[in-house]
Amino acid sequence: MATPIGQLEGKYEILEKIKEGGMGAVYKVRHRLLDEVRVIKLIRPQLESDEGIKARFLGEARKGVRLHHPNIAQFYDFSIDDDGNAFIVMEFVEGAPLDEVLRRRGPLSIGLTLEIAEQSLAALGYLHKRGIVHRDISPDNLMVGRDEEGHPLERLIDLGIAKVLAGESGLTQAGTFLGKVRYASPEQFRAQEGVPVDSRSDLYSFGIVLYELLTGKHPI
């Protein structure tokens, strides 16, 4: 069976592995024909036989390719080949995640923090109007860089655990904890009791991020 990377190398040049996570590995690539740098997210090979993981991966892709907002990283393409290897192609975002910025610089200025907050909340508002809850708002999922005019540009990345409120797929069930403990809302800790998680959970998580940007410390 061909590896996922082997399936992609004809179309993309693999530049480097960015990270690995629960869903799979993330690679920085170059489109050979378009000469454009992008990011590819792959399912871990050992999880390819897990139908639930594959379904969640495709659910992420189907939602992602329909989203078009200046503060959300663009999804370009997704596919599952005959061997069951799944991948999503995303925009490569220039800049650094906020957790890295905090480590390097410490607390941000009020002006920069408000700019990041305005753009982040615009992205969240866009998602929430479409019935999507991100459920993992944290500094490592918020990238900050510069636009063409040199102004701060924030991008929300990784919609991998976003949830459709209408529950079309039923993949996110009661009792499933998604997100990071340090930024999770109280209702996320009561998932086993069947407490629903809605858009307010994202706002709570972003409030913690905002506190951290201004103070350099976690509030809890």
Side-chain angles (χ1 to χ4, degrees):
M1 179 184 298
T3 65
I5 290 298
Q7 296 281 346
L8 297 170
E9 285 183 329
K11 187 174 183 180
Y12 298 97
E13 175 190 0
I14 310 300
L15 301 178
E16 63 175 300
K17 180 187 286 187
I18 298 176
K19 66 176 181 178
E20 291 195 37
M23 288 289 291
V26 180
Y27 294 87
K28 180 180 177 181
V29 303
R30 185 187 307 279
H31 194 292
R32 294 184 184 276
L33 294 180
L34 300 179
D35 192 28
E36 194 172 81
V37 176
R38 295 180 178 178
V39 168
I40 288 180
K41 183 176 182 179
L42 295 165
I43 286 182
R44 290 179 181 275
Q46 63 266 34
L47 295 180
E48 286 166 7
S49 60
D50 189 318
E51 293 300 321
I53 292 292
K54 287 195 292 187
R56 181 174 292 176
F57 190 90
L58 288 180
E60 171 186 352
R62 291 190 180 104
K63 292 191 288 288
V65 295
R66 296 186 178 98
L67 301 176
H68 300 280
H69 189 276
N71 299 115
I72 298 176
Q74 182 64 46
F75 281 51
Y76 291 120
D77 193 14
F78 71 97
S79 178
I80 294 184
D81 63 22
D82 294 337
D83 295 324
N85 301 316
F87 71 91
I88 290 177
V89 182
M90 299 174 283
E91 174 186 7
F92 174 72
V93 178
E94 292 281 1
L98 288 178
D99 59 339
E100 181 179 323
V101 175
L102 282 169
R103 283 195 300 269
R104 293 200 316 251
R105 298 178 48 177
L108 306 185
S109 67
I110 293 178
L112 178 56
T113 300
L114 291 176
E115 184 69 35
I116 290 172
E118 181 179 4
Q119 296 185 33
S120 299
L121 292 172
L124 287 177
Y126 178 86
L127 292 180
H128 295 163
K129 287 178 181 178
R130 285 152 182 78
I132 298 174
V133 181
H134 190 282
R135 296 183 67 147
D136 192 19
I137 299 300
S138 57
D140 62 324
N141 278 332
L142 293 164
M143 298 281 292
V144 62
R146 298 283 180 180
D147 61 19
E148 294 180 355
E149 298 179 352
H151 302 304
L153 177 61
E154 184 278 328
R155 296 286 187 87
L156 177 62
I157 64 172
D158 196 355
L159 301 178
I161 60 173
K163 177 193 175 188
V164 177
L165 286 174
E168 294 177 355
S169 63
L171 291 173
T172 304
Q173 301 174 359
T176 301
F177 182 88
L178 297 175
K180 298 178 180 68
V181 171
R182 285 169 60 85
Y183 301 93
S185 62
E187 56 267 31
Q188 285 179 270
F189 293 100
R190 300 181 62 193
Q192 293 181 345
E193 303 173 27
V195 175
V197 174
D198 59 27
S199 59
R200 292 171 292 183
S201 181
D202 284 345
L203 297 179
Y204 176 95
S205 299
F206 185 73
I208 294 180
V209 173
L210 192 61
Y211 183 96
E212 203 166 1
L213 293 180
L214 289 169
T215 66
K217 300 177 181 180
H218 197 273
I220 301 173

